[in-house]
């Protein structure tokens, strides 16, 4: 991954996945779907679209609510938590879950934000890992 800055200017990385009906989702989760309910080109006064998707569609940050009973819900977390400098750890291993040993050699003390780059990050949007 390139340096987080160019000269004295911070660099912004867009880690977003493109949201389309072909976007792979967690097995059993709700896939993305967009339905045009009304269209101006068909004579309607406005365009209306209904979206169906999971809270885990595409790139996202899991709130404590996702993994803990009583954990903070995303709507209770300030947006500022997601903006600012981040430490990036790349895990090159291509099988198994993320484990503490993956962070050996990284000083994670005092970090406010951590981005984890794995081989799954590099998969095409329409592919889900096999394991």
């Amino acid at each position: 991954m390139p340096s987080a800055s160019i000269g004295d200017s911070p660099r912004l990385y867009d880690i977003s996945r493109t949201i389309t009906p072909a976007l792979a989702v967690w097995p059993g989760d709700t896939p993305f779907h967009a339905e045009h309910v009304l269209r101006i080109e068909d004579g309607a006064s406005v365009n209306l679209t209904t979206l169906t998707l999971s809270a885990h569609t595409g790139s996202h940050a899991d709130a404590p609510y996702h993994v803990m009973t009583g954990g903070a819900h995303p709507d209770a977390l300030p947006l500022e938590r997601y903006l600012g400098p981040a430490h990036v750890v790349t895990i090159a291993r291509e099988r198994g879950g993320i484990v503490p040993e993956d962070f050996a050699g990284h000083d994670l003390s005092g970090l406010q934000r951590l981005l984890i780059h794995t081989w799954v990050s590099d998969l095409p949007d329409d592919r889900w890992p096999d394991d």
Side-chain angles (χ1 to χ4, degrees), residues 6-123:
I6 299 174
D8 294 323
S9 301
R11 184 167 219 179
L12 179 66
Y13 290 100
D14 181 356
I15 60 169
S16 305
R17 292 281 186 171
T18 302
I19 298 176
T20 71
L23 180 66
V25 298
W26 185 269
D29 206 349
T30 303
F32 172 77
H33 176 74
E35 178 182 354
H36 298 283
V37 179
L38 295 174
R39 293 178 191 233
I40 294 171
E41 66 187 45
D42 295 335
S45 60
V46 295
N47 289 312
L48 286 180
T49 306
T50 297
L51 303 176
T52 304
L53 67 151
S54 162
H56 290 93
T57 299
S59 303
H60 65 280
D62 285 329
Y65 173 81
H66 180 58
V67 295
M68 298 184 319
T69 300
H73 195 272
D75 64 6
L77 300 175
L79 185 58
E80 291 77 23
R81 285 197 180 176
Y82 303 99
L83 302 173
H87 182 76
V88 179
V89 173
T90 297
I91 300 172
R93 181 175 38 81
E94 293 193 10
R95 293 288 173 248
I98 297 169
V99 296
E101 291 78 24
D102 292 323
F103 302 99
H106 293 273
D107 181 10
L108 304 181
S109 59
L111 289 181
Q112 293 184 11
R113 290 166 205 88
L114 174 65
L115 292 176
I116 303 170
H117 177 255
T118 69
W119 67 280
V120 177
S121 305
D122 297 324
L123 289 176

